[in-house]
């Protein structure tokens, strides 16, 4: 899209290409990164940390989506004073951010397909037995209830 934005502004084929790139971007965003917060936020953290992890992930997602949505009209068009006109060249900015996101996803987001929750815990080396034993030691010797275990983990 950025390369097409450098073409002559009267070139209809370049304008159609920019629109096609926006559609492809929107489609791939909806299938790729957009649901990733919800899927990985529900799969990766342990039960006591799941709520806090999802809160942080949702907050970061909403803040970044707001920043992009709020800044886009000011950068893309020059309708009023104070706006910057980049037009299709805006693709260079979003394309570079997408490249960084792809590298981040490849190197830092673990693959969880065909893994059960126990396998994910092993992947992160989270020994549930030690957590349960420490919870049992804090009680009167009996096994803690789920509510006691969650309460203890939060404290």
């Amino acid at each position: 899209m950025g390369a097409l934005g450098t073409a002559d502004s009267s070139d209809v084929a370049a304008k159609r290409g920019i629109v096609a790139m926006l559609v492809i971007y929107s489609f791939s965003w909806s299938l790729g990164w957009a649901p990733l917060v919800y899927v990985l936020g529900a799969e990766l953290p342990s039960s006591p940390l799941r709520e806090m992890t999802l809160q942080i992930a949702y907050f970061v997602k909403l803040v970044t989506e707001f920043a992009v949505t709020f800044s886009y009209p000011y950068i893309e068009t020059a309708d009023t004073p104070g706006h910057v006109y980049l037009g299709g060249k805006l693709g260079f900015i979003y394309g570079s951010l997408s490249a960084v996101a792809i590298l981040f996803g490849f190197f830092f987001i673990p693959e969880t397909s065909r893994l059960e929750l126990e396998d994910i815990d092993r992947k992160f080396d989270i020994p549930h037995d030690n957590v349960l034993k420490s919870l049992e030691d804090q009680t009167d010797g009996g096994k803690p209830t789920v509510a006691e275990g969650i309460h203890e983990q939060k404290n």
Side-chain angles (χ1 to χ4, degrees), residues 70-118:
F70 185 77
S71 65
Y72 181 82
Y74 296 102
I75 297 172
E76 200 269 330
T77 60
D79 292 338
T80 59
H83 288 213
V84 179
Y85 177 68
L86 290 180
K89 294 180 216 133
L90 192 57
F92 288 124
I93 295 172
Y94 290 137
S96 60
L97 290 174
S98 294
V100 169
I102 287 171
L103 290 173
F104 176 81
F106 184 76
F107 289 111
F108 294 106
I109 297 177
E111 178 62 47
T112 59
S113 67
R114 292 186 229 113
L115 289 178
E116 295 183 14
L117 293 175
E118 293 81 12

Side-chain angles (χ1 to χ4, degrees), residues 22-43:
L22 286 172
V23 169
I24 291 170
Y25 175 76
S26 177
F27 182 74
S28 62
W29 168 258
S30 297
L31 290 179
W33 283 103
L36 193 63
V37 169
Y38 308 108
V39 172
L40 292 180
E43 285 182 358

Side-chain angles (χ1 to χ4, degrees), residues 124-145:
F124 289 109
D125 196 25
I126 301 171
H128 280 289
D129 295 338
N130 293 342
V131 172
L132 290 176
K133 284 181 184 178
S134 67
L135 288 174
E136 286 176 6
D137 293 341
Q138 294 173 5
T139 61
D140 295 331
K143 293 196 179 250
T145 64

